[in-house]
Amino acid sequence: MTERMRRFLRPEEGAVTVEFVIIFPLVLLLFFLIVFASMGISTASDVQQVAHELARQSIGRLSRSAPVEDVCQDLASDTALMNHLVDQSLLLNPAKLAVQPCPTMPTADGFVTVTVTYNFAGSLVQALGKNFGLNLGIITRSSTVKL
């Protein structure tokens, strides 16, 4: 056998292990990046859903005979409603959810805008974000309805 033929037929016992050691961390990193992005998007979607439901609830609050000074604060103080909305979510913590005051609602055109903020402090999404160099603090979403 020639030298060239021996080099071609040499054993490759450790090749799969070396490939695994090189590729597995990259696959694992990609997996965690997908989980992180999914959790962030899901949380933002849940906050938007809470804002939308609160905006819908504001119609009923403003339709009552007794006037409401600040419909947003009235909605935020309804703990049963807030707990029900947060219970529908997988990632939201009710202690980190805040409804912004809106004393000038409804507008002259009859629109009501409800703004909700969610603080990521201490959450799994923020912890994962720090590992990737992202500083996730507060997410804000608004929803508008016409009376």
Side-chain angles (χ1 to χ4, degrees):
M1 242 192 237
T2 66
E3 182 65 31
R4 181 178 274 196
M5 189 66 117
R6 268 190 234 153
R7 217 176 325 140
F8 180 72
L9 296 176
R10 70 177 173 216
E12 297 183 13
E13 279 97 23
V16 172
T17 304
V18 171
E19 291 170 1
F20 177 78
V21 167
I22 292 171
I23 294 173
F24 182 70
L26 297 175
V27 171
L28 199 60
L29 179 66
L30 181 64
F31 174 75
F32 281 122
L33 186 61
I34 290 169
V35 168
F36 165 71
S38 298
M39 289 176 71
I41 291 168
S42 178
T43 302
S45 176
D46 289 346
V47 172
Q48 180 63 48
Q49 185 64 31
V50 168
H52 179 69
E53 282 300 318
L54 289 175
R56 287 185 57 227
Q57 290 289 324
S58 70
I59 295 171
R61 304 279 169 127
L62 291 170
S63 300
R64 293 180 184 165
S65 58
V68 177
E69 188 174 312
D70 186 343
V71 69
C72 295
Q73 291 305 83
D74 186 50
L75 290 166
S77 65
D78 187 348
T79 55
L81 173 64
M82 293 299 287
N83 287 336
H84 177 71
L85 292 176
V86 171
D87 284 345
Q88 304 300 317
S89 165
L90 184 64
L91 298 172
L92 294 183
N93 179 352
K96 297 180 179 193
L97 196 66
V99 180
Q100 301 299 315
C102 58
T104 59
M105 298 294 159
T107 63
D109 298 339
F111 288 99
V112 176
T113 301
V114 177
T115 303
V116 177
T117 60
Y118 187 75
N119 190 352
F120 278 111
S123 70
L124 180 62
V125 174
Q126 187 184 40
L128 286 173
K130 284 184 180 180
N131 289 334
F132 293 111
L134 298 173
N135 185 14
L136 297 174
I138 294 176
I139 187 168
T140 303
R141 295 291 184 260
S142 297
S143 185
T144 303
V145 293
K146 181 161 175 57
L147 297 177

